[in-house]
Amino acid sequence: MKPIQVGLLGIGTVGSGTFNVLRRNQEEIRRRAGRGIEIHSVFARSIERARKVVGDDVKVVTDANEIISNPEIDIVIELIGGYEIAKTLVMQAIAAGKHVVTANKALLAVHGTEIFAAAREKGVMVAFEAAVAGGIPIIKALREGLTANRIEWIAGIINGTTNFILSEMRAKGLDFAVVLKEAQRLGYAEADPTFDIEGVDAAHKVAIVSAIAFGVPVQFEKAYVEGITKLQAADISYAEQLGYRLKLLGITRRRDTGIELRVHPTLVPSKRLIANVEGAMNAVLVHADAVGTSLYYGKGAGSEPTASAVVADLVDVTRLHTADPHHRVPHLAFQHDSLATTPILPIEEVVTSFYLRLQVADQAGVLARITGILAEKGISIDALLQRPQDADEGQSKTDVIIMTHETVEGRMNEAIALMQALPTVLAPIVRIRKEELN
Amino acid sequence: MKPIQVGLLGIGTVGSGTFNVLRRNQEEIRRRAGRGIEIHSVFARSIERARKVVGDDVKVVTDANEIISNPEIDIVIELIGGYEIAKTLVMQAIAAGKHVVTANKALLAVHGTEIFAAAREKGVMVAFEAAVAGGIPIIKALREGLTANRIEWIAGIINGTTNFILSEMRAKGLDFAVVLKEAQRLGYAEADPTFDIEGVDAAHKVAIVSAIAFGVPVQFEKAYVEGITKLQAADISYAEQLGYRLKLLGITRRRDTGIELRVHPTLVPSKRLIANVEGAMNAVLVHADAVGTSLYYGKGAGSEPTASAVVADLVDVTRLHTADPHHRVPHLAFQHDSLATTPILPIEEVVTSFYLRLQVADQAGVLARITGILAEKGISIDALLQRPQDADEGQSKTDVIIMTHETVEGRMNEAIALMQALPTVLAPIVRIRKEELN
C-alpha cells in the first residue's frame, strides 16, 4: 500500500524533531502502522533554513496553500503555533478534507470547539497528543485508557519551565527572580517567559484535559490562573519542614456544584510521587472511581519528546481513519452531542486547604486573635508552626505558619481580610493552596 | 444505535468488578463510546453465585456455548483464567466471529501467537489491556502512545503481591517468610502464592510487553525467571545504606545481539520514582529513543482497577471495530507480517551490574583475593562496604558488600565460582542484580 502522505507546516524545534524521528525510525514506524508515513512537503518561511533540516529530498514551499490544497496529501501537521495563522491553516486543511495533527494547545484551548465541529462535519480526525505534557501519552490515557471510569480529579505538573524553576528554588534556597535568569541562560525558559511563569501555558493544557475528563467544552477563559512569580524561598523552606513540596499544578476536579479548573502554586505532601518530579519533567495524576489513582510521567517538552506525540498521532490516523467517523474516538473523548453543561466554578467556590504565613508582632494574644478568626469562619487548623523571633531585625516580630483543613476559598478570603486588618499583622499574608492528592 | 452486546465468561473478582463498573458508569460510558454497552448474558458455574452479583435482570447460563454461539452477542469477555478451558472458549469465540476481551496473561503468554493468528484470520479484535499492570493503560501506551519510538528498554513492577512483600520487608526489617504470612492474612497474597512469589506472573506479563515493545512473538518460555523467596532482610538493609531499594522487576531490553527478557529481584537507586512505588502498586518505566524515559503508575490488580482496563477494551472495540482490519491497531503493536526474529538472550549473556554479599574470614589478604578475582574477570567495582566484625558470633568473620559496574552475567558466574571456592569465603555468596534505570 502506498505510504500515507503528510504535509508539515512549520519546521522549528518540534517540526525538526518530527522530521528526524520519522526518518530515523521509518522502518519501525512502518512495521507498526502497516504503511509508510512520508513527509510529502514542508511549509517554511525560509527555504534555506528548512533545507538545513530536511536536506534536498523533500519539497519545501513558502506558500502553505501548496500543502493544504494538494490532493496527494492525507494529513497536515500544524506546528506553527499561535492563534491567527495556525487557526486559518487548520480550518482550511479541515475544509480540504485533510486529517490534522497539531501540538498547539493555545489554539485548541481558545478555538477548540470551532475546530472540532468543523472536523466532525468533514469526517476528519484532529489529533493533539503533543498539546499536553509533550511526550507523555496523557490524552490517549484519558480519552481511551480510562473510559470505564468516572474521573474525579486530575492534577498535573504540565509546564516544565516552572517545575525547573521551583526545583532550583528549593534545591538552592534562591528566590524566583534569580532562578528565572539561570533558567533562561540554560534554555529552560524563553526570553519572554510570561506564558510559562504566569501559568497561562498550564491553563491552556488543563482546560483541554478538563474537557476530555468530564465531557464538557474546552473553557480556558473560565480557568483561574496564578503563576509562580511572587513565590519566596522562605515559604518553600517552611513547607518543606512541614512535609510539603511546592509545585505549579494544573488542577481540575468534579464537585457536586460544578467543575474546578485552576492553575496555581500548590503544596503537595513530599511523600507523593508527583512531589518528587524534579527539573523540567512533567507528570499527571488522575483519580478515577474504578481505577483509583494513576500517574503518567515523562518529558513534557523538547524537540523529540514532543515529536514522539506528533508521530504517534500520525500512526493513529493511519491506523484508524477508516473507522466509522460516528463512533471513532471522539476528539474530546465524549461524543459531541453528549457534552455536559456543568458549570466551571469561580475560584471563590473552589474547595482546598491552605498554607498561610503571617508576619506578626511578637506579643501576647496575637495567636489567639488569628486562630479566633479562623474558628469564626469555620476553618479548622491542621498544623501550626511559630518561628523563633527574628533577632537580626532588632524588632519584635515573628513568622506564624498555619496549615488549614479544606475550606471554601471564599471563606478563606474573608478570614484573610479580617486577619490582614489586625494591627499586629505586620506584612501582607502569604497564602498558598495545598492539596493532599490521595 | 442499538447497544453493543457483551457475553461475560466468569463472574469472579474481575467479572464482578466489570459488571459493576459497566452498570454504575453506563451513562458516562455511553457518552464516550457513542453506543450503550450491555451485558447480554453471563456464564458461571453457579447460577446462584452469579445472581448475587448480577441480580435478576441479566441472563445467566451454565453452558458457555450459549454465549459463544449466540448471534446477538458482539463481544466475549474471558475472565475465567488458566490455560485450558479459557483457551478453548477464546478460540471458539473467535471462530464464531466475536471480538474478544481478556485479562488472561497466562493464556496470552503461552498461546498468544495462535490466538492472535486466529483473530487476524477472522478479522476480529482481541484486546487485553487488563493482562498487564491491571488498571494502568500500559498496553495502550506502548502499542499506540509510543509508536514513534524505537523502544530501548522497559522495567516494571508488575506484580503487586511481591511489591507488597518487599515493601513490608524493608519497612519492618523482616524476612520473607514472616511477611508472606502477613500478606496472605491481609489478602495481598493467595493461599498458593507460587506464581506470584516465584516471578511467573511477572514473567507472563513482561513476555507480552516485550513482544509489543520490540515487534517479536510472545516468548514466555525463553524468559529468565527468579522469585523473591530467598531474599533476606540484611541485604535490603545493606542496599539501603548504599542508596538502593530492592524491587522485583520485569525487564526487557534491546541489545545488539538480541533481547533481554527477565524477572528477578533488582536493586534500583532510591531516588528513582519507581524505587518509591510501595505496597501493592504497580509501575512501568519505559525508555525510548525519542521520548526518553516515561513512567506509568497505578493499581495493578483488584476487582475494579482490573475492570477499568476490561471496560476500556470494550469501549475500544465499540469505537474501532469498523476500521479496516488490515490497518487497525495490530494485536501486538506491530503488523503480524513484520515481526522480527531477534533472539531472546540466555541469562548468561545479559548485561547488568551486581550487588554481592560475601561472608568472609576476618583476616589479612581476603579482600585482595576477592577484588583480584573480579579484576581478573574484567569486572570493575563501583562501591565496597566492609561491615565491622560480628562480635555476637564470637567468630572472626565479617560481611563484605560489593557493588559492581555492568558486566556480562556469564563472566560474573565465573567470578562467583572462583570466589566461592576460596577457603576464606564462609557462606554462599549472595548475588542481586542492580539496574540504574536512567
Side-chain angles (χ1 to χ4, degrees):
Chain A
M1 197 165 188
K2 145 175 180 314
I4 205 155
Q5 298 297 317
V6 178
L8 179 56
L9 307 179
I11 191 80
T13 306
V14 180
S16 307
T18 300
F19 183 83
N20 291 332
V21 167
L22 264 179
R23 188 167 51 181
R24 186 175 72 236
N25 292 343
Q26 59 181 321
E27 179 52 22
E28 193 118 351
I29 291 167
R30 193 199 53 72
R31 289 171 59 206
R32 289 188 173 111
R35 278 173 89 165
I37 299 180
E38 274 183 17
I39 300 282
H40 176 286
S41 39
V42 173
F43 159 69
R45 287 205 189 78
S46 152
I47 289 192
E48 198 188 340
R49 213 155 358 112
R51 285 263 169 255
K52 279 188 188 143
V53 178
V54 306
D56 295 326
D57 303 341
V58 175
K59 190 172 162 191
V60 178
V61 301
T62 51
D63 177 0
N65 245 325
E66 287 188 50
I67 287 178
I68 285 163
S69 63
N70 190 327
E72 289 172 12
I73 290 177
D74 307 295
I75 307 174
V76 170
I77 308 180
E78 182 277 304
L79 297 175
I80 297 170
Y83 305 91
E84 298 305 321
I85 303 168
K87 187 189 169 196
T88 307
L89 294 178
V90 163
M91 294 300 280
Q92 286 175 350
I94 291 169
K98 315 292 187 202
H99 303 286
V100 172
V101 173
T102 177
N104 193 332
K105 50 235 144 198
L107 179 66
L108 295 178
V110 176
H111 301 294
T113 303
E114 185 183 347
I115 290 167
F116 297 135
R120 216 162 45 236
E121 188 79 16
K122 287 297 269 186
V124 298
M125 295 170 73
V126 175
F128 53 92
E129 183 61 78
V132 180
I136 307 173
I138 185 64
I139 299 294
K140 185 167 276 287
L142 292 170
R143 196 174 53 187
E144 303 163 39
L146 302 178
T147 46
N149 293 266
R150 186 176 156 90
I151 293 173
E152 301 295 347
W153 53 261
I154 295 172
I157 296 172
I158 46 181
N159 179 275
T161 302
T162 47
N163 202 55
F164 174 84
I165 292 173
L166 293 176
S167 298
E168 289 290 293
M169 285 175 72
R170 183 178 79 87
K172 303 183 176 164
L174 297 171
D175 274 318
F176 171 77
V178 182
V179 178
L180 173 61
K181 286 223 177 78
E182 189 203 348
Q184 286 174 315
R185 195 178 51 79
L186 294 171
Y188 285 113
E190 297 186 41
D192 178 0
T194 314
F195 260 36
D196 292 317
I197 63 180
E198 294 296 357
V200 178
D201 174 73
H204 285 149
K205 294 167 181 167
V206 76
I208 295 171
V209 157
S210 180
I212 289 176
F214 303 125
V216 295
V218 180
Q219 290 163 90
F220 163 69
E221 72 284 1
K222 294 189 184 153
Y224 173 79
V225 189
E226 182 183 317
I228 64 167
T229 57
K230 299 196 181 71
L231 295 174
Q232 297 169 51
D235 296 301
I236 294 181
S237 165
Y238 284 141
E240 189 89 8
Q241 293 169 51
L242 290 160
Y244 288 80
R245 293 255 172 100
L246 188 56
K247 296 290 175 191
L248 182 71
L249 295 186
I251 298 174
T252 186
R253 186 189 308 251
R254 187 200 296 267
R255 297 271 179 204
D256 290 344
T257 48
I259 292 168
E260 297 181 359
L261 182 60
R262 47 191 170 110
V263 171
H264 52 68
T266 314
L267 291 171
V268 179
S270 305
K271 63 186 172 202
R272 301 268 178 273
L273 286 187
I274 199 169
N276 294 281
V277 170
E278 301 288 357
M281 300 302 284
N282 281 19
V284 181
L285 196 57
V286 182
H287 190 79
D289 70 342
V291 76
T293 299
S294 55
L295 177 104
Y296 309 83
Y297 163 90
K299 287 189 180 149
S303 175
E304 292 214 352
T306 311
S308 172
V310 169
V311 175
D313 279 347
L314 290 178
V315 174
D316 256 12
V317 173
T318 306
R319 283 169 165 174
L320 301 175
H321 69 280
T322 56
D324 167 13
H326 298 297
H327 293 95
R328 201 162 57 191
V329 183
H331 296 111
L332 289 176
F334 289 76
Q335 298 291 322
H336 74 101
D337 55 4
S338 296
L339 292 194
T341 55
T342 325
I344 304 296
L345 297 170
I347 187 69
E348 293 73 22
E349 292 179 30
V350 157
V351 176
T352 182
S353 54
F354 289 88
Y355 160 103
L356 304 176
R357 175 161 60 89
L358 298 89
Q359 199 180 77
V360 298
D362 196 12
Q363 47 185 250
V366 174
L367 215 50
R369 278 273 181 76
I370 291 167
T371 53
I373 290 172
L374 289 170
E376 191 185 307
K377 291 292 170 188
I379 298 168
S380 60
I381 294 172
D382 181 34
L384 195 147
L385 184 72
Q386 179 158 0
R387 302 310 298 169
Q389 185 185 325
D390 193 338
D392 286 356
E393 300 277 328
Q395 289 180 31
S396 223
K397 64 185 185 184
T398 185
D399 271 351
V400 172
I401 286 93
I402 297 173
M403 297 282 216
T404 76
H405 285 294
E406 284 200 337
T407 182
V408 173
E409 174 130 351
R411 206 181 288 173
M412 177 55 80
N413 291 343
E414 293 167 16
I416 287 178
L418 290 173
M419 293 187 289
Q420 193 70 72
L422 293 174
T424 46
V425 172
L426 307 175
I429 296 170
V430 173
R431 163 242 304 262
I432 303 175
R433 296 173 191 85
K434 169 169 97 59
E435 295 283 344
E436 292 299 318
L437 303 182
N438 55 6
Chain B
M1 198 167 189
K2 147 175 178 315
I4 204 155
Q5 298 296 318
V6 178
L8 180 55
L9 307 178
I11 190 81
T13 306
V14 179
S16 307
T18 301
F19 183 85
N20 291 332
V21 168
L22 266 179
R23 188 167 52 181
R24 186 174 73 234
N25 292 342
Q26 60 181 319
E27 178 53 21
E28 192 118 349
I29 291 166
R30 193 199 53 72
R31 288 171 59 206
R32 288 187 173 112
R35 275 173 91 164
I37 298 180
E38 273 183 17
I39 300 283
H40 176 286
S41 38
V42 173
F43 159 67
R45 289 207 186 76
S46 153
I47 290 192
E48 201 187 337
R49 211 151 7 109
R51 286 263 170 255
K52 279 187 189 144
V53 178
V54 305
D56 294 328
D57 304 339
V58 175
K59 189 171 162 192
V60 178
V61 301
T62 53
D63 177 0
N65 245 324
E66 287 189 50
I67 287 178
I68 284 163
S69 63
N70 190 325
E72 289 172 10
I73 290 176
D74 307 295
I75 307 175
V76 170
I77 308 180
E78 183 277 305
L79 296 175
I80 296 170
Y83 304 93
E84 298 305 321
I85 303 170
K87 187 191 169 194
T88 307
L89 295 178
V90 164
M91 293 300 279
Q92 287 175 349
I94 291 169
K98 315 292 189 203
H99 303 286
V100 171
V101 173
T102 177
N104 194 331
K105 51 232 139 199
L107 178 67
L108 295 178
V110 176
H111 301 294
T113 303
E114 186 183 348
I115 290 167
F116 297 135
R120 218 164 42 236
E121 189 79 15
K122 287 296 268 186
V124 298
M125 296 170 74
V126 174
F128 52 93
E129 183 62 78
V132 179
I136 307 173
I138 184 64
I139 299 293
K140 186 166 278 285
L142 291 171
R143 198 175 51 188
E144 302 162 41
L146 302 179
T147 45
N149 293 267
R150 183 175 159 91
I151 293 174
E152 301 295 346
W153 54 260
I154 295 172
I157 297 173
I158 46 181
N159 179 275
T161 303
T162 46
N163 201 56
F164 175 83
I165 292 173
L166 293 176
S167 297
E168 290 289 293
M169 285 175 71
R170 183 178 80 87
K172 301 181 179 167
L174 296 171
D175 272 321
F176 172 76
V178 183
V179 178
L180 173 61
K181 285 221 176 80
E182 189 203 350
Q184 286 174 315
R185 194 175 55 76
L186 294 171
Y188 285 114
E190 297 187 41
D192 177 0
T194 314
F195 259 37
D196 292 318
I197 63 179
E198 294 296 356
V200 179
D201 175 73
H204 285 148
K205 293 167 182 167
V206 76
I208 294 171
V209 158
S210 180
I212 289 175
F214 302 125
V216 296
V218 181
Q219 292 164 89
F220 163 69
E221 71 286 359
K222 295 190 184 152
Y224 172 79
V225 189
E226 182 182 315
I228 65 167
T229 58
K230 299 198 182 72
L231 294 173
Q232 298 169 49
D235 295 302
I236 294 181
S237 165
Y238 283 141
E240 189 89 8
Q241 293 169 50
L242 290 160
Y244 288 81
R245 293 256 172 99
L246 188 55
K247 296 289 175 192
L248 182 72
L249 294 187
I251 298 174
T252 186
R253 185 189 309 252
R254 188 200 295 265
R255 296 270 179 206
D256 290 344
T257 48
I259 291 167
E260 297 182 357
L261 183 59
R262 47 191 170 109
V263 171
H264 52 69
T266 313
L267 291 171
V268 179
S270 306
K271 65 185 172 199
R272 300 268 178 271
L273 286 187
I274 198 168
N276 294 282
V277 170
E278 300 288 355
M281 301 302 284
N282 282 19
V284 181
L285 197 57
V286 182
H287 190 79
D289 70 341
V291 76
T293 300
S294 56
L295 178 104
Y296 309 83
Y297 162 91
K299 287 188 181 151
S303 175
E304 291 213 354
T306 311
S308 171
V310 169
V311 174
D313 278 346
L314 291 178
V315 174
D316 257 11
V317 174
T318 306
R319 284 169 166 174
L320 302 176
H321 69 279
T322 56
D324 166 14
H326 298 297
H327 294 95
R328 203 162 56 190
V329 184
H331 296 112
L332 289 176
F334 289 76
Q335 299 290 322
H336 75 101
D337 55 4
S338 296
L339 293 194
T341 55
T342 325
I344 305 295
L345 296 171
I347 187 68
E348 293 73 21
E349 292 179 29
V350 157
V351 175
T352 182
S353 54
F354 289 88
Y355 160 103
L356 304 175
R357 174 162 60 90
L358 298 90
Q359 198 180 75
V360 298
D362 196 11
Q363 46 185 250
V366 174
L367 214 52
R369 277 272 182 76
I370 291 168
T371 53
I373 289 172
L374 289 170
E376 190 185 306
K377 291 292 171 188
I379 298 167
S380 60
I381 295 172
D382 181 33
L384 194 146
L385 185 70
Q386 178 159 359
R387 303 309 300 167
Q389 185 184 326
D390 192 338
D392 287 355
E393 300 277 328
Q395 288 180 30
S396 221
K397 63 186 185 184
T398 186
D399 271 351
V400 172
I401 286 93
I402 297 172
M403 298 282 217
T404 77
H405 285 295
E406 285 200 338
T407 181
V408 173
E409 174 131 349
R411 205 180 290 172
M412 177 54 80
N413 291 344
E414 294 168 13
I416 287 178
L418 290 174
M419 293 187 288
Q420 193 69 70
L422 294 174
T424 45
V425 172
L426 307 174
I429 295 170
V430 174
R431 163 243 302 264
I432 303 177
R433 295 173 192 85
K434 170 169 94 61
E435 294 284 345
E436 293 298 319
L437 303 181
N438 55 5

